[in-house]
């Protein structure tokens, strides 16, 4: 018989050790080798993992990310603080002339939601108060950039230019939109498949297009207006839209708490209204789910993915949509003890082991569970929490988990999973150091 308390205490120590091992001094790599730099939404989630045992380090995780913010307000998806040759494409391919080096795209902006939590839960109040003064203006700039540059026509729905921006890199939701993108015409050597079995990673046909887009941004001189006009891939990503919406609300709450109220915050309030009026464009009454939308072909991205549950996190599910969406979720959860697969098991593109086509990601579960609680669906939230815990009990702190067996999928010793264990799944016995 396993003693549950001992098992949790042991896992907590292992989770802390994972963060410490992946700490490169002020920022935490997702895992060594496969992802040797700082990733945007990873760092936001990872800050929550540091919070229970090292508050200054939690804040530092976010300020090191924000140190790479562009003048435009954009916060990059990867920051190349230190050189590494275990990853491709590196800074030479992206061609950005900034210091620190970074990519030219962003990732789901969960950061403001995390900062709100750090501000509310940090015990050292002097630390929290001093950090928030510099961070809030940076977050405002980031959110203004999102709305102004990624929705210049005020549609209420921001666009994304690359599957890597979604953080759900290889989701079947992007297949059709990506197929319309040309392939690169130069040879390259991938590094990801030297760390992880090719059966778990994207195919070459996807990589060719990922790289075409990277080249395209450089050729456009990273000009937001030109890219909006001409980017061959331009998608309303329901996950980014939901995370941004929640994060803007959290940012405004934070602003209120610290007495910031100005034209910029008023503008953000208007943007929330616009999104609330536009979100039904992403609802499909055949699947009873939300989907992303390809603005180039004017078609819905029909794959059924866990992104379609994130409007709960944003508070964007209407009264009429709630019950049908919950029924879809209930059936989805019947498929496995482990929860919740990134692609619905009945979707024709479901692959339980391949990147974002089936495996389970714990931080996505965390957001979905918060959203379900907000809507009063505690039982489903609990089921997702248990399904997440089952994954880490089964196979530890992996990047993601096989949707049916809970076995490792992707990299091992992974920071955001360790962080979610510390902050969300095993918090009771975590003592602050
Ligand atoms: C993969 C994931 C992305 C994540 C990155 C680092 O690219 O798809 O969401 O940020 O790895 O963990």
């Amino acid at each position: 018989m396993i003693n549950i308390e001992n098992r949790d205490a042991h896992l907590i120590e292992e989770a802390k050790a994972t963060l410490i091992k992946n700490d490169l001094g002020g920022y935490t790599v997702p895992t060594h080798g496969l992802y040797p730099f700082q990733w945007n939404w990873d760092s936001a989630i990872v800050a929550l993992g540091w919070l229970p045992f090292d508050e200054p380090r939690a804040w530092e995780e976010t300020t090191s990310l924000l140190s790479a913010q562009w003048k435009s307000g954009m916060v990059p998806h990867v920051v190349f603080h230190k050189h590494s040759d275990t990853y491709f494409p590196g800074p030479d391919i992206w061609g950005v002339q900034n210091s620190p080096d970074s990519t030219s795209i962003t990732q789901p902006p969960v950061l403001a939601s995390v900062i709100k939590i750090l501000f509310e839960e940090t015990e050292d109040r002097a630390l929290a108060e001093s950090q928030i003064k510099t961070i809030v203006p940076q977050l405002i700039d980031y959110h203004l950039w999102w709305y102004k540059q990624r929705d210049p026509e005020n549609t209420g729905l921001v666009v994304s230019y690359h599957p890597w921006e979604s953080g759900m890199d290889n989701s079947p939701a992007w297949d059709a939109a990506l197929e319309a993108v040309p392939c690169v015409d130069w040879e390259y050597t991938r590094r990801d498949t030297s760390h992880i079995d090719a059966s778990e990673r994207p195919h070459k046909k996807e990589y060719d297009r990922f790289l075409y887009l990277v080249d395209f941004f450089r050729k456009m001189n990273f000009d937001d207006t030109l890219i909006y006009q001409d980017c061959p891939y331009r998608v309303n990503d329901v996950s980014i839209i939901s995370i941004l919406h929640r994060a803007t609300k959290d940012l405004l709450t934070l602003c209120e708490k610290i007495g910031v109220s100005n034209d910029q915050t008023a503008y953000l309030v208007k943007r929330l209204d616009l999104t609330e009026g536009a979100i039904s464009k992403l609802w499909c009454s055949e699947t009873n789910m939300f989907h992303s939308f390809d603005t180039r072909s004017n078609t819905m991205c029909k794959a059924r993915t866990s992104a379609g549950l994130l409007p709960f996190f944003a508070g964007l599910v209407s009264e009429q949509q709630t019950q049908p969406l919950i029924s879809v979720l209930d059936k989805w959860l019947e498929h496995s003890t482990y929860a919740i697969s990134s692609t619905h098991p009945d979707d024709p593109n479901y692959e339980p082991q391949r990147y974002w086509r089936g495996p389970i990601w714990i931080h996505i579960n965390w957001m979905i569970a918060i959203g379900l609680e907000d809507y009063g669906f505690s039982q489903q939230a609990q089921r997702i929490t248990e399904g997440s815990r089952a994954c880490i009990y089964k196979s530890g702190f992996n990047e993601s988990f096989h949707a049916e067996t809970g076995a490792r999928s992707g990299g091992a010793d992974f920071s955001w999973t360790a962080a979610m264990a510390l902050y969300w799944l095993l918090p009771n016995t975590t003592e602050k150091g």
Side-chain angles (χ1 to χ4, degrees):
M1 269 286 284
I2 304 173
N3 175 322
I4 292 181
E5 256 174 44
N6 280 350
R7 177 182 60 185
D8 285 4
H10 174 74
L11 273 175
I12 286 169
E13 288 317 308
E14 251 183 50
K16 287 184 189 171
T18 302
L19 293 191
I20 291 165
K21 176 178 155 196
N22 291 343
D23 180 9
L24 285 198
Y27 70 97
T28 314
V29 296
T31 185
H32 289 287
L34 183 63
Y35 301 120
F37 306 109
Q38 183 173 32
W39 261 257
N40 181 325
W41 73 333
D42 294 64
S43 266
I45 297 294
V46 164
L48 294 175
W50 286 108
L51 180 66
F53 72 106
D54 190 340
E55 291 183 344
R57 186 60 190 76
W59 285 94
E60 198 183 11
E61 189 70 33
T62 67
T63 51
S64 63
L65 174 65
L66 287 166
S67 75
Q69 182 166 33
W70 286 22
K71 280 203 190 75
S72 64
M74 197 272 281
V75 180
H77 112 279
V78 179
V79 188
F80 302 110
H81 292 284
K82 288 178 201 156
H83 172 79
S84 167
D85 50 20
T86 63
Y87 179 84
F88 176 85
D92 48 327
I93 306 288
W94 288 91
V96 171
Q97 305 294 326
N98 268 4
S99 178
D101 275 326
S102 73
T103 61
S104 65
I105 56 172
T106 188
Q107 261 191 327
V110 69
L111 184 62
S113 295
V114 165
I115 295 289
K116 176 172 173 278
I117 295 175
L118 294 192
F119 185 69
E120 287 169 351
E121 298 182 12
T122 294
E123 283 175 8
D124 180 345
R125 294 316 299 160
L127 171 70
E129 298 288 347
S130 75
Q131 295 288 328
I132 208 72
K133 282 200 190 97
T134 44
I135 292 177
V136 161
Q138 289 180 291
L139 291 175
I140 291 178
D141 284 350
Y142 185 31
H143 283 236
L144 291 176
W145 171 84
W146 262 112
Y147 291 115
K148 290 187 175 173
Q149 303 305 334
R150 294 308 185 90
D151 182 20
E153 295 179 79
N154 301 323
T155 65
L157 303 174
V158 295
V159 294
S160 144
Y161 299 139
H162 199 297
W164 289 344
E165 285 202 311
S166 73
M168 304 182 175
D169 305 12
N170 200 36
S171 167
W174 320 135
D175 286 356
L178 199 58
E179 219 161 285
V181 173
C183 293
V184 272
D185 55 5
W186 43 272
E187 295 295 316
Y188 58 93
T189 308
R190 284 169 65 168
R191 296 281 151 73
D192 58 327
T193 41
S194 62
H195 304 288
I196 300 291
D197 194 272
S199 67
E200 294 179 21
R201 297 288 306 181
H203 296 285
K204 180 176 179 336
K205 65 177 179 4
E206 283 126 21
Y207 242 81
D208 281 352
R209 291 167 166 101
F210 292 160
L211 291 172
Y212 178 92
L213 290 169
V214 171
D215 272 355
F216 172 80
F217 304 137
R218 200 187 56 244
K219 287 181 186 148
M220 294 294 110
N221 218 3
F222 313 116
D223 183 297
D224 280 315
T225 309
L226 290 181
I227 296 173
Y228 183 79
Q229 274 167 22
D230 294 336
C231 187
Y233 177 98
R234 208 182 69 180
V235 164
N236 297 133
D237 171 352
V238 65
S239 139
I240 288 183
I241 288 165
S242 301
I243 291 170
L244 176 66
H245 197 72
R246 166 92 186 203
T248 302
K249 289 201 250 181
D250 288 342
L251 177 56
L252 288 169
T253 307
L254 207 48
C255 287
E256 222 177 283
K257 281 191 187 197
I258 62 169
V260 173
S261 166
N262 53 31
D263 289 353
Q264 295 180 323
T265 53
Y267 178 84
L268 291 176
V269 172
K270 281 204 196 116
R271 282 298 188 153
L272 289 177
D273 291 344
L274 263 185
T275 304
E276 276 154 29
I279 195 70
S280 59
K281 181 178 172 192
L282 307 185
W283 174 257
C284 171
S285 48
E286 281 162 33
T287 57
N288 282 326
M289 277 196 80
F290 289 94
H291 298 265
S292 295
F293 190 90
D294 179 355
T295 74
R296 287 300 180 212
S297 63
N298 260 318
T299 51
M300 220 168 217
C301 308
K302 270 296 172 71
R304 282 169 287 166
T305 72
S306 54
L309 299 168
L310 284 168
F312 279 127
F313 183 60
L316 284 170
V317 186
S318 73
E319 227 178 291
Q320 298 93 304
Q321 291 156 349
T322 300
Q323 206 43 62
L325 186 52
I326 287 292
S327 304
V328 169
L329 170 64
D330 285 341
K331 292 225 176 63
W332 198 329
L333 289 170
E334 280 168 16
H335 281 268
S336 171
T337 320
Y338 305 97
I340 183 175
S341 58
S342 43
T343 297
H344 195 298
D346 294 339
D347 191 281
N349 295 298
Y350 170 70
E351 289 180 78
Q353 89 296 353
R354 194 184 294 278
Y355 245 45
W356 294 104
R357 291 178 178 257
I360 296 160
W361 264 264
I362 304 296
H363 70 299
I364 302 291
N365 290 353
W366 174 67
M367 291 186 275
I368 294 173
I370 290 176
L372 289 168
E373 284 289 359
D374 287 350
Y375 273 78
F377 292 97
S378 294
Q379 202 193 323
Q380 284 82 354
Q382 202 45 42
R383 170 71 183 84
I384 288 179
T385 310
E386 276 154 21
S388 307
R389 218 174 263 134
C391 291
I392 61 164
Y393 283 162
K394 169 81 185 268
S395 55
F397 307 123
N398 300 305
E399 176 171 9
S400 53
F401 298 84
H402 188 288
E404 285 158 19
T405 65
R408 182 200 55 74
S409 149
D413 300 327
F414 221 83
S415 297
W416 61 15
T417 309
M420 284 282 94
L422 288 166
Y423 181 74
W424 179 40
L425 298 172
L426 310 167
N428 295 337
T429 43
T430 307
E431 297 276 332
K432 287 205 187 199

